Amino acid sequence: MSATNWKYCQENSDLILSAGLQMLIKDKKKNFGTICEDCYGNYLITDKNENWSYTGEGKNLSNRMKQHSKERSSTFFKNYLKSNTLAKSLKLEDFEFRTINNSIGRKELEEFTIVNYPTNLNKFQKAKRDFFKAKANKKLWTQVQENYLQIIKDGEKQFKKSKHFEWFSAEINYGAGIYWIEHKKDGHIYIGESSDVLKRHATHSGRTYFSAVRRNLGETILGYKLQTIKGKKRYFSEKEDLNLTKYLNSCSIKTMPISFGRFELEEYLIRKHKPVLNRKENA
């Protein structure tokens, strides 16, 4: 099966990500202040002795590295200062970074690197992937990246085959994936991704405070205004919240498990279909 096939990428995601991690590790280390490309990609930050490490992904590596180069906005350095180590002798300039351009699989590579490098300054996205021992030829990563659009379009075809379920009787698998929400009258209203689609569905089915979909739905479609309580503009009235739940009861949802490329497929579908509740990627 070709590496340009969506099914191959899902079944061999760890092998592909292992190749990507190898390429990231082998990239030349750079000092903060070095100019990066304005591109999608992943990065690995370590101190010179590689006792401390942090990884992440971004749509603009140049902007992300500029963010990390300043103490007030650097997540990894704040995590280092908050670590349990008593002797925090390192300064921000004692850290270096490596990068890799990435057109598909950047979230999965971040999750894979946290577990398999492993990193010790990442506080979130832990245990999202399994430990993987086998090493892959870096040509596999290159082949997948060169054919990313073909793979994404193939993923779109597979997603079209997914079954729609009524909102409150949906059969949803645990784990990472993508989901599509459609209303009986208003049509498709939202496309999303999550590292745990089952949990995300439960969040959208509950109170508005925790759900961006419910907040956007209330404001954009039902015309409600969010209330601010204790400095948090995340609330609707009890009656409005009930109406939101009733609206969702007239919705269907379809999902698809994804082990590689969920960010990219989500972004592609949002740009193509422009669901009314998607604010990012929908300009």
Side-chain angles (χ1 to χ4, degrees):
M1 187 181 295
S2 171
T4 61
N5 178 284
W6 176 264
K7 184 178 180 181
Y8 175 91
C9 291
Q10 302 312 303
E11 294 177 348
N12 297 277
S13 61
D14 284 335
L15 198 63
I16 297 168
L17 294 169
S18 178
L21 177 55
Q22 288 180 60
M23 292 189 68
L24 177 58
I25 291 172
K26 290 179 180 179
D27 184 61
K28 183 179 179 181
K29 295 180 181 179
K30 310 171 189 69
N31 295 319
F32 283 104
T34 304
I35 298 175
C36 294
E37 293 184 70
D38 297 334
C39 62
Y40 289 56
N42 292 75
Y43 57 90
L44 176 64
I45 299 172
T46 60
D47 68 294
K48 291 178 173 60
N49 294 321
E50 300 205 17
N51 293 320
W52 297 96
S53 53
Y54 180 90
T55 191
E57 58 81 25
K59 294 181 180 180
N60 188 313
L61 286 176
S62 178
N63 288 344
R64 189 57 58 87
M65 290 301 100
K66 287 177 183 176
Q67 174 189 339
H68 281 303
S69 70
K70 301 173 183 177
E71 288 192 23
R72 60 182 175 81
S73 59
S74 175
T75 303
F76 89 87
F77 196 68
K78 289 178 181 178
N79 289 350
Y80 166 71
L81 294 177
K82 292 177 182 177
S83 65
N84 293 327
T85 303
L86 295 176
K88 299 182 180 67
S89 58
L90 297 178
K91 298 180 180 179
L92 196 148
E93 53 265 30
D94 293 321
F95 288 84
E96 303 168 315
F97 67 90
R98 287 164 273 188
T99 61
I100 183 174
N101 294 359
N102 191 343
S103 298
I104 183 170
R106 68 181 191 275
K107 189 61 181 178
E108 289 84 6
L109 183 57
E110 176 192 60
E111 296 166 345
F112 186 88
T113 302
I114 289 172
V115 174
N116 287 279
Y117 182 71
T119 63
N120 54 14
L121 290 177
N122 287 86
K123 302 303 179 185
F124 302 101
Q125 308 302 324
K126 292 183 175 182
K128 298 294 185 180
R129 307 287 304 200
D130 294 328
F131 181 71
F132 186 74
K133 292 184 179 180
K135 291 187 178 180
N137 190 317
K138 62 182 181 181
K139 290 182 179 179
L140 175 61
W141 177 263
T142 302
Q143 184 181 6
V144 169
Q145 295 302 311
E146 288 176 346
N147 294 279
Y148 77 94
L149 187 56
Q150 179 181 334
I151 295 169
I152 291 171
K153 288 182 177 180
D154 191 29
E156 178 187 22
K157 291 179 182 178
Q158 299 303 317
F159 190 36
K160 285 181 179 179
K161 299 176 184 177
S162 297
K163 181 180 178 181
H164 282 271
F165 290 95
E166 296 299 318
W167 183 266
F168 286 105
S169 59
E171 297 178 12
I172 301 174
N173 294 324
Y174 165 82
I178 193 170
Y179 59 99
W180 172 297
I181 304 175
E182 191 163 325
H183 186 261
K184 290 179 180 178
K185 292 183 179 179
D186 297 331
H188 62 277
I189 59 172
Y190 188 80
I191 298 168
E193 64 76 31
S194 176
S195 61
D196 187 344
V197 176
L198 179 62
K199 186 176 180 180
R200 185 62 56 85
H201 175 263
T203 298
H204 294 329
S205 301
R207 298 286 295 179
T208 295
Y209 180 87
F210 297 103
S211 170
V213 167
R214 291 178 71 95
R215 294 194 296 274
N216 293 349
L217 168 59
E219 288 187 310
T220 304
I221 295 180
L222 300 182
Y224 299 153
K225 290 186 178 181
L226 283 167
Q227 301 174 15
T228 302
I229 301 177
K230 295 182 180 180
K232 301 288 186 179
K233 193 176 182 181
R234 288 171 169 257
Y235 300 87
F236 291 121
S237 69
E238 192 76 27
K239 182 179 179 181
E240 289 169 340
D241 233 10
L242 287 173
N243 287 338
L244 284 170
T245 301
K246 288 179 181 178
Y247 184 93
L248 287 173
N249 197 37
S250 296
C251 290
S252 63
I253 183 172
K254 69 174 182 177
T255 67
M256 182 172 72
I258 296 179
S259 59
F260 183 82
R262 71 179 190 269
F263 266 25
E264 292 77 18
L265 181 57
E266 179 206 32
E267 291 162 357
Y268 175 83
L269 292 173
I270 291 172
R271 293 189 188 113
K272 182 174 181 178
H273 297 283
K274 299 187 181 301
V276 65
L277 297 185
N278 285 98
R279 295 180 178 178
K280 66 175 183 177
E281 306 298 336
N282 201 3

